[in-house]
Amino acid sequence: MGARCAKRRRHQEGDKPCLAHFSVIRSIGRGAFGKVCIVQHRSSHKLYAMKYMSKERCIRQNMADNVLKELSIVTTLDHPFIVNLQSSFQDARYMYIVSDLLLGGDLRFHLNQHGIFREDRSKLYLCEIALAVDYLHSRSIVHRDIKPDNIILDEKGHAHLTDFNLATRLEPDKLATSFSGTRVYMAPELFSTCNGSTPGYDHRIDWYSLGATLHEMLRGRPPHQLPSSLNSHQVLMIQHESPLELPSEWSSDLISFVSLLLAFSPQSRLSSLDSIKKHPYCTRIDFAWIQSRRAAPSFVPSQHCLNCDPMYEIEERVVVSTPIHDRRGRGRKSSKGASSEVETAALEALSTSFIEYKRITHE
């Protein structure tokens, strides 16, 4: 037994990543077809976040192409304010995505805890995510789902953009047309594309979403309430006709800045890092200093607790108490019986198309 354990621990650095290289510490989240765990690399003892997804569930929910598309994007990214991919690998039943571990909690959790943020705190988050968005746009990538839920803090309090499930890469001189995003953070041109009044949209939708996120950080709510019962025409009417209710005690520069980020027309919107830098609200900010991560956040997350909803951990312990390694090795049959020939072919295609990636280096 000891020899077998020793053999398991001797991983060569040139080896392809696999589940045996990691020890699972705890579960921290879950989605429709996968879960997220904190894992520790057995050789380096470094901690990472690992998302593992059922291939079968992805196929049955028609999400396999989304997973592959997201992976094709995140394997190309490396930025201090993005949650960067570290490795990806697969086995017969699951896909594994290993990324930076950030334990500071997402902005949705902190907004739920505090209601609103101070202006200096919000401004730093805005600048850090603006740098990340500019980096994405320089690579023709549109995130399409910027919101507090998708901005995570590290242990020092710096903000990082995550979740590229809806991201797309724009071809030169092409517009995106799919209706993607989270309703209250979506730019008007997404709705006008949906109802056919405009041919599509481009990267400028991300700046609107960032403006909506800034509004929520400062006001405790998005700029407009847009219930799902409203159709696209009604949403556009609200976005165009309903004035932003911005506090009179805000500085004129802040009011102007938020208003321009949330401009109805993309032509009138602040829609580049350069235009943000030139606005009076940001002219005194040293973005190179922020890029270097030397700007000290005014808020540092607690390091004595998990900065997320504690109910998940309780539910996970009740529902699943078996370690991930044991579950992966059981060869459990599908709850819906044997896969059809179509599903089998889809599984084979997914396994063939899956991108296996390794960024992790252990000195």
Side-chain angles (χ1 to χ4, degrees), residues 21-55:
H21 292 178
F22 300 91
S23 300
V24 177
I25 306 300
R26 69 193 301 177
S27 297
I28 55 174
R30 63 181 169 189
F33 41 81
K35 296 182 180 178
V36 181
C37 298
I38 299 174
V39 298
Q40 184 176 51
H41 193 273
R42 293 180 184 273
S43 297
S44 70
H45 306 294
K46 291 181 178 179
L47 297 176
Y48 300 98
M50 175 188 286
K51 177 168 66 173
Y52 60 99
M53 297 167 286
S54 165
K55 293 180 179 180

PDB file of all heavy atoms in Angstrom, residues 21-55:
ATOM      1  N   HIS A  21      -3.355  14.420  -9.705  1.00  0.00           N
ATOM      2  CA  HIS A  21      -2.387  15.446  -9.303  1.00  0.00           C
ATOM      3  C   HIS A  21      -2.913  16.357  -8.200  1.00  0.00           C
ATOM      4  O   HIS A  21      -2.160  17.164  -7.661  1.00  0.00           O
ATOM      5  CB  HIS A  21      -2.001  16.304 -10.506  1.00  0.00           C
ATOM      6  CG  HIS A  21      -1.219  15.578 -11.549  1.00  0.00           C
ATOM      7  ND1 HIS A  21      -0.809  16.170 -12.729  1.00  0.00           N
ATOM      8  CD2 HIS A  21      -0.783  14.291 -11.613  1.00  0.00           C
ATOM      9  CE1 HIS A  21      -0.151  15.289 -13.460  1.00  0.00           C
ATOM     10  NE2 HIS A  21      -0.126  14.151 -12.804  1.00  0.00           N
ATOM     11  N   PHE A  22      -4.202  16.241  -7.874  1.00  0.00           N
ATOM     12  CA  PHE A  22      -4.823  17.178  -6.945  1.00  0.00           C
ATOM     13  C   PHE A  22      -5.508  16.450  -5.790  1.00  0.00           C
ATOM     14  O   PHE A  22      -6.047  15.355  -5.955  1.00  0.00           O
ATOM     15  CB  PHE A  22      -5.868  18.048  -7.667  1.00  0.00           C
ATOM     16  CG  PHE A  22      -5.309  18.871  -8.792  1.00  0.00           C
ATOM     17  CD1 PHE A  22      -5.284  18.375 -10.089  1.00  0.00           C
ATOM     18  CD2 PHE A  22      -4.792  20.139  -8.549  1.00  0.00           C
ATOM     19  CE1 PHE A  22      -4.768  19.130 -11.135  1.00  0.00           C
ATOM     20  CE2 PHE A  22      -4.270  20.904  -9.585  1.00  0.00           C
ATOM     21  CZ  PHE A  22      -4.262  20.393 -10.882  1.00  0.00           C
ATOM     22  N   SER A  23      -5.499  17.105  -4.632  1.00  0.00           N
ATOM     23  CA  SER A  23      -6.290  16.673  -3.486  1.00  0.00           C
ATOM     24  C   SER A  23      -7.451  17.646  -3.324  1.00  0.00           C
ATOM     25  O   SER A  23      -7.257  18.856  -3.416  1.00  0.00           O
ATOM     26  CB  SER A  23      -5.444  16.684  -2.201  1.00  0.00           C
ATOM     27  OG  SER A  23      -4.341  15.817  -2.315  1.00  0.00           O
ATOM     28  N   VAL A  24      -8.629  17.125  -3.094  1.00  0.00           N
ATOM     29  CA  VAL A  24      -9.808  17.966  -2.929  1.00  0.00           C
ATOM     30  C   VAL A  24      -9.918  18.409  -1.476  1.00  0.00           C
ATOM     31  O   VAL A  24      -9.883  17.588  -0.557  1.00  0.00           O
ATOM     32  CB  VAL A  24     -11.078  17.224  -3.364  1.00  0.00           C
ATOM     33  CG1 VAL A  24     -12.307  18.089  -3.126  1.00  0.00           C
ATOM     34  CG2 VAL A  24     -10.987  16.833  -4.832  1.00  0.00           C
ATOM     35  N   ILE A  25     -10.051  19.721  -1.269  1.00  0.00           N
ATOM     36  CA  ILE A  25     -10.153  20.279   0.078  1.00  0.00           C
ATOM     37  C   ILE A  25     -11.607  20.434   0.502  1.00  0.00           C
ATOM     38  O   ILE A  25     -12.022  19.961   1.548  1.00  0.00           O
ATOM     39  CB  ILE A  25      -9.432  21.641   0.165  1.00  0.00           C
ATOM     40  CG1 ILE A  25      -7.978  21.519  -0.334  1.00  0.00           C
ATOM     41  CG2 ILE A  25      -9.483  22.189   1.591  1.00  0.00           C
ATOM     42  CD1 ILE A  25      -7.136  20.539   0.435  1.00  0.00           C
ATOM     43  N   ARG A  26     -12.412  21.090  -0.346  1.00  0.00           N
ATOM     44  CA  ARG A  26     -13.819  21.296  -0.012  1.00  0.00           C
ATOM     45  C   ARG A  26     -14.575  21.788  -1.241  1.00  0.00           C
ATOM     46  O   ARG A  26     -13.975  22.316  -2.186  1.00  0.00           O
ATOM     47  CB  ARG A  26     -13.979  22.318   1.121  1.00  0.00           C
ATOM     48  CG  ARG A  26     -13.616  23.753   0.721  1.00  0.00           C
ATOM     49  CD  ARG A  26     -13.471  24.684   1.907  1.00  0.00           C
ATOM     50  NE  ARG A  26     -14.690  24.781   2.703  1.00  0.00           N
ATOM     51  CZ  ARG A  26     -14.763  25.492   3.825  1.00  0.00           C
ATOM     52  NH1 ARG A  26     -13.688  26.107   4.290  1.00  0.00           N
ATOM     53  NH2 ARG A  26     -15.888  25.576   4.488  1.00  0.00           N
ATOM     54  N   SER A  27     -15.883  21.618  -1.212  1.00  0.00           N
ATOM     55  CA  SER A  27     -16.734  22.149  -2.283  1.00  0.00           C
ATOM     56  C   SER A  27     -17.127  23.584  -1.944  1.00  0.00           C
ATOM     57  O   SER A  27     -17.362  23.913  -0.783  1.00  0.00           O
ATOM     58  CB  SER A  27     -18.002  21.304  -2.425  1.00  0.00           C
ATOM     59  OG  SER A  27     -17.687  19.984  -2.806  1.00  0.00           O
ATOM     60  N   ILE A  28     -17.192  24.433  -2.962  1.00  0.00           N
ATOM     61  CA  ILE A  28     -17.544  25.831  -2.718  1.00  0.00           C
ATOM     62  C   ILE A  28     -18.635  26.350  -3.635  1.00  0.00           C
ATOM     63  O   ILE A  28     -19.055  27.493  -3.522  1.00  0.00           O
ATOM     64  CB  ILE A  28     -16.313  26.761  -2.834  1.00  0.00           C
ATOM     65  CG1 ILE A  28     -15.615  26.592  -4.191  1.00  0.00           C
ATOM     66  CG2 ILE A  28     -15.348  26.529  -1.685  1.00  0.00           C
ATOM     67  CD1 ILE A  28     -14.490  27.595  -4.422  1.00  0.00           C
ATOM     68  N   GLY A  29     -19.137  25.546  -4.549  1.00  0.00           N
ATOM     69  CA  GLY A  29     -20.194  26.027  -5.431  1.00  0.00           C
ATOM     70  C   GLY A  29     -20.650  24.939  -6.372  1.00  0.00           C
ATOM     71  O   GLY A  29     -20.012  23.898  -6.509  1.00  0.00           O
ATOM     72  N   ARG A  30     -21.774  25.183  -7.030  1.00  0.00           N
ATOM     73  CA  ARG A  30     -22.272  24.220  -7.993  1.00  0.00           C
ATOM     74  C   ARG A  30     -23.156  24.901  -9.016  1.00  0.00           C
ATOM     75  O   ARG A  30     -23.719  25.971  -8.768  1.00  0.00           O
ATOM     76  CB  ARG A  30     -23.044  23.101  -7.296  1.00  0.00           C
ATOM     77  CG  ARG A  30     -24.296  23.561  -6.557  1.00  0.00           C
ATOM     78  CD  ARG A  30     -24.967  22.368  -5.892  1.00  0.00           C
ATOM     79  NE  ARG A  30     -26.015  22.790  -4.981  1.00  0.00           N
ATOM     80  CZ  ARG A  30     -26.630  21.984  -4.148  1.00  0.00           C
ATOM     81  NH1 ARG A  30     -26.272  20.722  -4.089  1.00  0.00           N
ATOM     82  NH2 ARG A  30     -27.583  22.429  -3.356  1.00  0.00           N
ATOM     83  N   GLY A  31     -23.271  24.257 -10.180  1.00  0.00           N
ATOM     84  CA  GLY A  31     -24.118  24.765 -11.241  1.00  0.00           C
ATOM     85  C   GLY A  31     -25.013  23.669 -11.756  1.00  0.00           C
ATOM     86  O   GLY A  31     -25.190  22.629 -11.116  1.00  0.00           O
ATOM     87  N   ALA A  32     -25.563  23.868 -12.945  1.00  0.00           N
ATOM     88  CA  ALA A  32     -26.537  22.928 -13.492  1.00  0.00           C
ATOM     89  C   ALA A  32     -25.913  21.577 -13.823  1.00  0.00           C
ATOM     90  O   ALA A  32     -26.570  20.550 -13.734  1.00  0.00           O
ATOM     91  CB  ALA A  32     -27.185  23.525 -14.743  1.00  0.00           C
ATOM     92  N   PHE A  33     -24.641  21.571 -14.220  1.00  0.00           N
ATOM     93  CA  PHE A  33     -24.038  20.300 -14.609  1.00  0.00           C
ATOM     94  C   PHE A  33     -22.625  20.139 -14.069  1.00  0.00           C
ATOM     95  O   PHE A  33     -21.811  19.405 -14.629  1.00  0.00           O
ATOM     96  CB  PHE A  33     -24.033  20.146 -16.135  1.00  0.00           C
ATOM     97  CG  PHE A  33     -23.672  21.414 -16.880  1.00  0.00           C
ATOM     98  CD1 PHE A  33     -22.349  21.795 -17.027  1.00  0.00           C
ATOM     99  CD2 PHE A  33     -24.662  22.205 -17.410  1.00  0.00           C
ATOM    100  CE1 PHE A  33     -22.025  22.945 -17.708  1.00  0.00           C
ATOM    101  CE2 PHE A  33     -24.335  23.378 -18.089  1.00  0.00           C
ATOM    102  CZ  PHE A  33     -23.032  23.743 -18.241  1.00  0.00           C
ATOM    103  N   GLY A  34     -22.317  20.810 -12.975  1.00  0.00           N
ATOM    104  CA  GLY A  34     -20.993  20.656 -12.401  1.00  0.00           C
ATOM    105  C   GLY A  34     -20.874  21.325 -11.050  1.00  0.00           C
ATOM    106  O   GLY A  34     -21.809  21.976 -10.576  1.00  0.00           O
ATOM    107  N   LYS A  35     -19.723  21.139 -10.436  1.00  0.00           N
ATOM    108  CA  LYS A  35     -19.458  21.724  -9.127  1.00  0.00           C
ATOM    109  C   LYS A  35     -18.067  22.343  -9.113  1.00  0.00           C
ATOM    110  O   LYS A  35     -17.243  22.081  -9.993  1.00  0.00           O
ATOM    111  CB  LYS A  35     -19.575  20.659  -8.038  1.00  0.00           C
ATOM    112  CG  LYS A  35     -20.986  20.083  -7.916  1.00  0.00           C
ATOM    113  CD  LYS A  35     -21.078  19.055  -6.797  1.00  0.00           C
ATOM    114  CE  LYS A  35     -22.501  18.501  -6.706  1.00  0.00           C
ATOM    115  NZ  LYS A  35     -22.623  17.466  -5.651  1.00  0.00           N
ATOM    116  N   VAL A  36     -17.826  23.168  -8.107  1.00  0.00           N
ATOM    117  CA  VAL A  36     -16.529  23.822  -7.948  1.00  0.00           C
ATOM    118  C   VAL A  36     -15.964  23.431  -6.589  1.00  0.00           C
ATOM    119  O   VAL A  36     -16.666  23.480  -5.574  1.00  0.00           O
ATOM    120  CB  VAL A  36     -16.651  25.357  -8.049  1.00  0.00           C
ATOM    121  CG1 VAL A  36     -15.282  25.998  -7.909  1.00  0.00           C
ATOM    122  CG2 VAL A  36     -17.286  25.756  -9.374  1.00  0.00           C
ATOM    123  N   CYS A  37     -14.705  23.039  -6.589  1.00  0.00           N
ATOM    124  CA  CYS A  37     -14.026  22.643  -5.360  1.00  0.00           C
ATOM    125  C   CYS A  37     -12.730  23.424  -5.203  1.00  0.00           C
ATOM    126  O   CYS A  37     -12.137  23.883  -6.182  1.00  0.00           O
ATOM    127  CB  CYS A  37     -13.676  21.153  -5.380  1.00  0.00           C
ATOM    128  SG  CYS A  37     -15.073  20.048  -5.478  1.00  0.00           S
ATOM    129  N   ILE A  38     -12.303  23.573  -3.965  1.00  0.00           N
ATOM    130  CA  ILE A  38     -10.931  23.999  -3.693  1.00  0.00           C
ATOM    131  C   ILE A  38     -10.071  22.748  -3.737  1.00  0.00           C
ATOM    132  O   ILE A  38     -10.386  21.742  -3.094  1.00  0.00           O
ATOM    133  CB  ILE A  38     -10.812  24.674  -2.325  1.00  0.00           C
ATOM    134  CG1 ILE A  38     -11.678  25.931  -2.255  1.00  0.00           C
ATOM    135  CG2 ILE A  38      -9.359  25.026  -2.022  1.00  0.00           C
ATOM    136  CD1 ILE A  38     -11.714  26.577  -0.872  1.00  0.00           C
ATOM    137  N   VAL A  39      -9.003  22.797  -4.508  1.00  0.00           N
ATOM    138  CA  VAL A  39      -8.096  21.652  -4.601  1.00  0.00           C
ATOM    139  C   VAL A  39      -6.666  22.104  -4.314  1.00  0.00           C
ATOM    140  O   VAL A  39      -6.335  23.291  -4.440  1.00  0.00           O
ATOM    141  CB  VAL A  39      -8.158  20.977  -5.989  1.00  0.00           C
ATOM    142  CG1 VAL A  39      -9.547  20.422  -6.257  1.00  0.00           C
ATOM    143  CG2 VAL A  39      -7.747  21.950  -7.103  1.00  0.00           C
ATOM    144  N   GLN A  40      -5.834  21.146  -3.946  1.00  0.00           N
ATOM    145  CA  GLN A  40      -4.422  21.421  -3.681  1.00  0.00           C
ATOM    146  C   GLN A  40      -3.576  20.529  -4.573  1.00  0.00           C
ATOM    147  O   GLN A  40      -3.803  19.320  -4.654  1.00  0.00           O
ATOM    148  CB  GLN A  40      -4.088  21.149  -2.218  1.00  0.00           C
ATOM    149  CG  GLN A  40      -2.655  21.514  -1.836  1.00  0.00           C
ATOM    150  CD  GLN A  40      -2.408  21.321  -0.357  1.00  0.00           C
ATOM    151  OE1 GLN A  40      -2.690  20.269   0.211  1.00  0.00           O
ATOM    152  NE2 GLN A  40      -1.867  22.349   0.290  1.00  0.00           N
ATOM    153  N   HIS A  41      -2.629  21.143  -5.268  1.00  0.00           N
ATOM    154  CA  HIS A  41      -1.730  20.363  -6.109  1.00  0.00           C
ATOM    155  C   HIS A  41      -0.807  19.548  -5.215  1.00  0.00           C
ATOM    156  O   HIS A  41      -0.201  20.059  -4.278  1.00  0.00           O
ATOM    157  CB  HIS A  41      -0.913  21.284  -7.019  1.00  0.00           C
ATOM    158  CG  HIS A  41      -0.209  20.547  -8.113  1.00  0.00           C
ATOM    159  ND1 HIS A  41       1.027  19.989  -7.949  1.00  0.00           N
ATOM    160  CD2 HIS A  41      -0.598  20.270  -9.395  1.00  0.00           C
ATOM    161  CE1 HIS A  41       1.398  19.407  -9.077  1.00  0.00           C
ATOM    162  NE2 HIS A  41       0.431  19.548  -9.959  1.00  0.00           N
ATOM    163  N   ARG A  42      -0.710  18.259  -5.478  1.00  0.00           N
ATOM    164  CA  ARG A  42       0.013  17.369  -4.578  1.00  0.00           C
ATOM    165  C   ARG A  42       1.510  17.655  -4.515  1.00  0.00           C
ATOM    166  O   ARG A  42       2.137  17.445  -3.479  1.00  0.00           O
ATOM    167  CB  ARG A  42      -0.211  15.905  -5.005  1.00  0.00           C
ATOM    168  CG  ARG A  42      -1.649  15.435  -4.830  1.00  0.00           C
ATOM    169  CD  ARG A  42      -1.801  13.982  -5.261  1.00  0.00           C
ATOM    170  NE  ARG A  42      -3.190  13.545  -5.186  1.00  0.00           N
ATOM    171  CZ  ARG A  42      -3.755  13.049  -4.092  1.00  0.00           C
ATOM    172  NH1 ARG A  42      -3.047  12.940  -2.976  1.00  0.00           N
ATOM    173  NH2 ARG A  42      -5.026  12.667  -4.108  1.00  0.00           N
ATOM    174  N   SER A  43       2.084  18.141  -5.624  1.00  0.00           N
ATOM    175  CA  SER A  43       3.518  18.398  -5.639  1.00  0.00           C
ATOM    176  C   SER A  43       3.883  19.755  -5.055  1.00  0.00           C
ATOM    177  O   SER A  43       4.783  19.870  -4.224  1.00  0.00           O
ATOM    178  CB  SER A  43       4.063  18.301  -7.073  1.00  0.00           C
ATOM    179  OG  SER A  43       3.894  17.004  -7.579  1.00  0.00           O
ATOM    180  N   SER A  44       3.174  20.798  -5.489  1.00  0.00           N
ATOM    181  CA  SER A  44       3.529  22.162  -5.067  1.00  0.00           C
ATOM    182  C   SER A  44       2.790  22.609  -3.816  1.00  0.00           C
ATOM    183  O   SER A  44       3.192  23.575  -3.178  1.00  0.00           O
ATOM    184  CB  SER A  44       3.209  23.149  -6.190  1.00  0.00           C
ATOM    185  OG  SER A  44       1.799  23.265  -6.339  1.00  0.00           O
ATOM    186  N   HIS A  45       1.693  21.915  -3.488  1.00  0.00           N
ATOM    187  CA  HIS A  45       0.826  22.281  -2.356  1.00  0.00           C
ATOM    188  C   HIS A  45       0.097  23.606  -2.581  1.00  0.00           C
ATOM    189  O   HIS A  45      -0.486  24.149  -1.639  1.00  0.00           O
ATOM    190  CB  HIS A  45       1.611  22.319  -1.035  1.00  0.00           C
ATOM    191  CG  HIS A  45       2.351  21.055  -0.759  1.00  0.00           C
ATOM    192  ND1 HIS A  45       1.713  19.858  -0.510  1.00  0.00           N
ATOM    193  CD2 HIS A  45       3.681  20.785  -0.727  1.00  0.00           C
ATOM    194  CE1 HIS A  45       2.611  18.901  -0.309  1.00  0.00           C
ATOM    195  NE2 HIS A  45       3.812  19.431  -0.448  1.00  0.00           N
ATOM    196  N   LYS A  46       0.112  24.122  -3.812  1.00  0.00           N
ATOM    197  CA  LYS A  46      -0.619  25.342  -4.112  1.00  0.00           C
ATOM    198  C   LYS A  46      -2.114  25.036  -4.243  1.00  0.00           C
ATOM    199  O   LYS A  46      -2.499  23.949  -4.676  1.00  0.00           O
ATOM    200  CB  LYS A  46      -0.110  25.977  -5.409  1.00  0.00           C
ATOM    201  CG  LYS A  46       1.303  26.541  -5.294  1.00  0.00           C
ATOM    202  CD  LYS A  46       1.732  27.183  -6.601  1.00  0.00           C
ATOM    203  CE  LYS A  46       3.124  27.780  -6.482  1.00  0.00           C
ATOM    204  NZ  LYS A  46       3.574  28.389  -7.769  1.00  0.00           N
ATOM    205  N   LEU A  47      -2.933  26.021  -3.884  1.00  0.00           N
ATOM    206  CA  LEU A  47      -4.379  25.864  -3.932  1.00  0.00           C
ATOM    207  C   LEU A  47      -4.955  26.464  -5.214  1.00  0.00           C
ATOM    208  O   LEU A  47      -4.496  27.512  -5.674  1.00  0.00           O
ATOM    209  CB  LEU A  47      -5.031  26.535  -2.715  1.00  0.00           C
ATOM    210  CG  LEU A  47      -4.663  25.954  -1.348  1.00  0.00           C
ATOM    211  CD1 LEU A  47      -5.304  26.783  -0.243  1.00  0.00           C
ATOM    212  CD2 LEU A  47      -5.084  24.496  -1.236  1.00  0.00           C
ATOM    213  N   TYR A  48      -5.953  25.802  -5.763  1.00  0.00           N
ATOM    214  CA  TYR A  48      -6.629  26.261  -6.971  1.00  0.00           C
ATOM    215  C   TYR A  48      -8.133  26.010  -6.833  1.00  0.00           C
ATOM    216  O   TYR A  48      -8.580  25.311  -5.915  1.00  0.00           O
ATOM    217  CB  TYR A  48      -6.113  25.521  -8.213  1.00  0.00           C
ATOM    218  CG  TYR A  48      -4.642  25.706  -8.471  1.00  0.00           C
ATOM    219  CD1 TYR A  48      -3.718  24.752  -8.061  1.00  0.00           C
ATOM    220  CD2 TYR A  48      -4.169  26.843  -9.129  1.00  0.00           C
ATOM    221  CE1 TYR A  48      -2.352  24.913  -8.289  1.00  0.00           C
ATOM    222  CE2 TYR A  48      -2.816  27.018  -9.367  1.00  0.00           C
ATOM    223  CZ  TYR A  48      -1.917  26.056  -8.945  1.00  0.00           C
ATOM    224  OH  TYR A  48      -0.575  26.231  -9.167  1.00  0.00           O
ATOM    225  N   ALA A  49      -8.892  26.569  -7.748  1.00  0.00           N
ATOM    226  CA  ALA A  49     -10.311  26.247  -7.871  1.00  0.00           C
ATOM    227  C   ALA A  49     -10.464  25.267  -9.025  1.00  0.00           C
ATOM    228  O   ALA A  49      -9.905  25.475 -10.100  1.00  0.00           O
ATOM    229  CB  ALA A  49     -11.127  27.506  -8.145  1.00  0.00           C
ATOM    230  N   MET A  50     -11.193  24.196  -8.796  1.00  0.00           N
ATOM    231  CA  MET A  50     -11.434  23.215  -9.849  1.00  0.00           C
ATOM    232  C   MET A  50     -12.934  23.087 -10.089  1.00  0.00           C
ATOM    233  O   MET A  50     -13.703  22.793  -9.180  1.00  0.00           O
ATOM    234  CB  MET A  50     -10.869  21.843  -9.489  1.00  0.00           C
ATOM    235  CG  MET A  50     -11.206  20.759 -10.516  1.00  0.00           C
ATOM    236  SD  MET A  50     -10.751  19.086  -9.979  1.00  0.00           S
ATOM    237  CE  MET A  50      -8.967  19.174 -10.180  1.00  0.00           C
ATOM    238  N   LYS A  51     -13.343  23.335 -11.321  1.00  0.00           N
ATOM    239  CA  LYS A  51     -14.723  23.098 -11.733  1.00  0.00           C
ATOM    240  C   LYS A  51     -14.756  21.799 -12.508  1.00  0.00           C
ATOM    241  O   LYS A  51     -13.967  21.604 -13.437  1.00  0.00           O
ATOM    242  CB  LYS A  51     -15.234  24.261 -12.598  1.00  0.00           C
ATOM    243  CG  LYS A  51     -16.648  24.055 -13.122  1.00  0.00           C
ATOM    244  CD  LYS A  51     -17.227  25.327 -13.709  1.00  0.00           C
ATOM    245  CE  LYS A  51     -16.518  25.784 -14.956  1.00  0.00           C
ATOM    246  NZ  LYS A  51     -17.199  26.936 -15.605  1.00  0.00           N
ATOM    247  N   TYR A  52     -15.634  20.896 -12.128  1.00  0.00           N
ATOM    248  CA  TYR A  52     -15.777  19.666 -12.893  1.00  0.00           C
ATOM    249  C   TYR A  52     -17.211  19.528 -13.371  1.00  0.00           C
ATOM    250  O   TYR A  52     -18.154  19.811 -12.654  1.00  0.00           O
ATOM    251  CB  TYR A  52     -15.324  18.433 -12.106  1.00  0.00           C
ATOM    252  CG  TYR A  52     -16.062  18.148 -10.819  1.00  0.00           C
ATOM    253  CD1 TYR A  52     -17.083  17.198 -10.771  1.00  0.00           C
ATOM    254  CD2 TYR A  52     -15.706  18.790  -9.637  1.00  0.00           C
ATOM    255  CE1 TYR A  52     -17.743  16.916  -9.593  1.00  0.00           C
ATOM    256  CE2 TYR A  52     -16.361  18.511  -8.456  1.00  0.00           C
ATOM    257  CZ  TYR A  52     -17.379  17.567  -8.431  1.00  0.00           C
ATOM    258  OH  TYR A  52     -18.028  17.281  -7.259  1.00  0.00           O
ATOM    259  N   MET A  53     -17.345  19.133 -14.639  1.00  0.00           N
ATOM    260  CA  MET A  53     -18.644  19.130 -15.314  1.00  0.00           C
ATOM    261  C   MET A  53     -18.919  17.780 -15.945  1.00  0.00           C
ATOM    262  O   MET A  53     -18.037  17.192 -16.586  1.00  0.00           O
ATOM    263  CB  MET A  53     -18.666  20.221 -16.398  1.00  0.00           C
ATOM    264  CG  MET A  53     -18.507  21.632 -15.868  1.00  0.00           C
ATOM    265  SD  MET A  53     -18.178  22.818 -17.187  1.00  0.00           S
ATOM    266  CE  MET A  53     -16.463  22.413 -17.556  1.00  0.00           C
ATOM    267  N   SER A  54     -20.115  17.302 -15.786  1.00  0.00           N
ATOM    268  CA  SER A  54     -20.545  16.048 -16.397  1.00  0.00           C
ATOM    269  C   SER A  54     -20.714  16.228 -17.902  1.00  0.00           C
ATOM    270  O   SER A  54     -21.474  17.086 -18.350  1.00  0.00           O
ATOM    271  CB  SER A  54     -21.862  15.595 -15.774  1.00  0.00           C
ATOM    272  OG  SER A  54     -22.473  14.601 -16.564  1.00  0.00           O
ATOM    273  N   LYS A  55     -20.016  15.436 -18.660  1.00  0.00           N
ATOM    274  CA  LYS A  55     -20.168  15.495 -20.113  1.00  0.00           C
ATOM    275  C   LYS A  55     -21.597  15.153 -20.533  1.00  0.00           C
ATOM    276  O   LYS A  55     -22.184  15.801 -21.404  1.00  0.00           O
ATOM    277  CB  LYS A  55     -19.186  14.529 -20.789  1.00  0.00           C
ATOM    278  CG  LYS A  55     -17.722  14.897 -20.639  1.00  0.00           C
ATOM    279  CD  LYS A  55     -16.844  13.880 -21.343  1.00  0.00           C
ATOM    280  CE  LYS A  55     -15.366  14.236 -21.217  1.00  0.00           C
ATOM    281  NZ  LYS A  55     -14.495  13.251 -21.888  1.00  0.00           N
TER     282      LYS A  55
END
